[in-house]
Amino acid sequence: MKIPTMLNLAAALALATTSLTAAAQAAPATAAAVSAPQIIEGKTTVNGVRYHYLLHKDHGPVVVLLHGWGSTSYMWRFVMPKLSAAGYTVLAPDLRGFGDTDKPQAGYDKANVARDIQALVAALQLGAKVNVVGHDMGGMVAYAYAAQFRDQVQTLAILDVPLPGIAPWQDILGSDRVWHFKFFGNRDVAERLIVDREKAFFSWFHNSEAVNAGAFTDEVENVYARKYSAPGALRGGFEYYRAFPQDAIANQEFAKVKLTIPVLGIGGAGSFGPIIGDHLKHVADRVRAVQIEGAGHWVAEEQPDATADALLKFLPAAR
């Protein structure tokens, strides 16, 4: 199979690492023009892990945004304000092992990380129902969340990622498109080769997976390099890949009972967009798909307006 290749908004969305000016330089003009809702930054401990998060509280439904590898919650810096401005309560955490969240030695299978996020939602008293949106590793966590807490999830959106163990997973594993899965999956090797070269590697990797590589400015790469240079950050991120065999077993068990909630697959036209809809039909009954033109893997950063618009058309009404 061939796979196609109370803080102000500025401080909160930059994760206290970059300025509004830098964020605006990285943003398309339309995204930068979104009015600034109030977003707070916080930390709380769940399941023994201290989680960092961004949160906008409103009267609308709760949307949980989960980032992937090569990113942190900073990836949502353009999408989160649009959802917030529309009236949604929006939570964007740094996942276990990433960003400003703790980086423990273990616990990186997606079902366990999903339990972290469910506990975080409960700790923040966000309500009984959520809408979960995940990109890359966050998409895998999002599916595990919906599969484990079926009565707590209204909708699920998965952005540009296949699910371990779900067809055509084996075909994907055999393609050049995911060469990095095995590289990252070998414990210690990737860490030793990338440490002290984080910016060079991530700049190359973001470009290699992007169509609109201009979204990854020097300012953006500085943010990601700083986060992935933190002690334990490379190891924590790679542990998500090392958990794939365990994830595949869990997903095959979850998929025995398909999700009945609405599920949206969003994929870049230059990445998994052409297959994501059919892929998700293996795990859910009510699937729709959106292919984002002008985007590769990093849809929320390459084409944030199109990504936000797709979500706003899919999510339950906020007002």
Side-chain angles (χ1 to χ4, degrees):
M1 169 179 187
K2 183 179 180 181
I3 306 299
T5 76
M6 224 343 112
L7 295 173
N8 61 38
L9 178 63
L13 291 185
L15 304 185
T17 62
T18 189
S19 67
L20 180 60
T21 299
Q25 288 172 345
T30 51
V34 175
S35 61
Q38 285 222 320
I39 294 175
I40 63 169
E41 185 173 11
K43 286 189 175 181
T44 195
T45 299
V46 294
N47 298 342
V49 178
R50 188 163 172 80
Y51 263 80
H52 170 264
Y53 60 87
L54 304 177
L55 177 64
H56 169 78
K57 281 194 171 183
D58 212 317
H59 299 296
V62 178
V63 180
V64 181
L65 301 175
L66 304 178
H67 68 85
W69 190 86
S71 309
T72 65
S73 57
Y74 178 70
M75 71 161 283
W76 301 112
R77 62 197 176 277
F78 305 134
V79 172
M80 186 175 182
K82 292 197 109 182
L83 300 182
S84 300
Y88 293 95
T89 288
V90 187
L91 171 67
D94 288 339
L95 296 179
R96 171 187 289 247
F98 288 106
D100 294 318
T101 290
D102 284 353
K103 299 158 183 66
Q105 291 293 320
Y108 293 93
D109 63 282
K110 311 311 175 291
N112 186 62
V113 179
R115 291 190 288 272
D116 284 356
I117 304 304
Q118 190 271 345
L120 180 62
V121 169
L124 296 175
Q125 300 181 341
L126 297 183
K129 294 279 190 178
V130 296
N131 300 272
V132 189
V133 178
H135 174 256
D136 188 77
M137 297 298 161
M140 297 179 186
V141 174
Y143 172 64
Y145 192 132
Q148 292 180 103
F149 304 103
R150 295 180 184 235
D151 61 339
Q152 298 177 27
V153 179
Q154 288 182 285
T155 65
L156 170 66
I158 294 180
L159 279 58
D160 208 76
V161 73
L163 301 175
I166 305 300
W169 178 252
Q170 287 303 127
D171 292 330
I172 292 170
L173 288 182
S175 73
D176 292 340
R177 172 68 178 76
V178 295
W179 64 270
H180 56 290
F181 283 14
K182 289 184 179 179
F183 174 50
F184 295 166
N186 284 289
R187 189 163 279 112
D188 298 331
V189 174
E191 289 93 324
R192 293 190 67 179
L193 292 176
I194 297 172
V195 69
D196 296 329
R197 303 176 182 88
E198 289 86 356
K199 185 175 179 182
F201 182 81
F202 282 95
S203 296
W204 174 85
F205 191 78
H206 289 143
N207 177 65
S208 73
E209 295 278 322
V211 169
N212 177 22
F216 291 93
T217 64
D218 193 58
E219 291 83 2
V220 171
E221 296 297 0
N222 283 337
V223 172
Y224 286 136
R226 187 159 51 247
K227 294 304 178 184
Y228 280 85
S229 298
L234 286 175
R235 175 193 49 78
F238 293 143
E239 289 299 325
Y240 281 80
Y241 292 88
R242 294 159 189 167
F244 280 173
Q246 187 176 352
D247 299 332
I249 293 170
N251 286 345
Q252 288 167 359
E253 189 64 27
F254 294 150
K256 289 179 180 178
V257 180
K258 286 188 175 184
L259 299 175
T260 58
I261 58 173
V263 173
L264 174 66
I266 298 177
S271 186
F272 290 108
I275 70 165
I276 195 164
D278 288 340
H279 172 62
L280 293 177
K281 289 177 183 177
H282 291 291
V283 301
D285 288 328
R286 301 166 61 190
V287 176
R288 70 176 77 166
V290 174
Q291 185 167 288
I292 305 294
E293 299 299 325
H297 178 58
W298 319 98
V299 289
E301 293 178 279
E302 294 181 63
Q303 299 296 340
D305 286 346
T307 302
D309 289 347
L311 290 172
L312 288 169
K313 291 174 182 176
F314 170 73
L315 293 166
R319 294 192 175 106

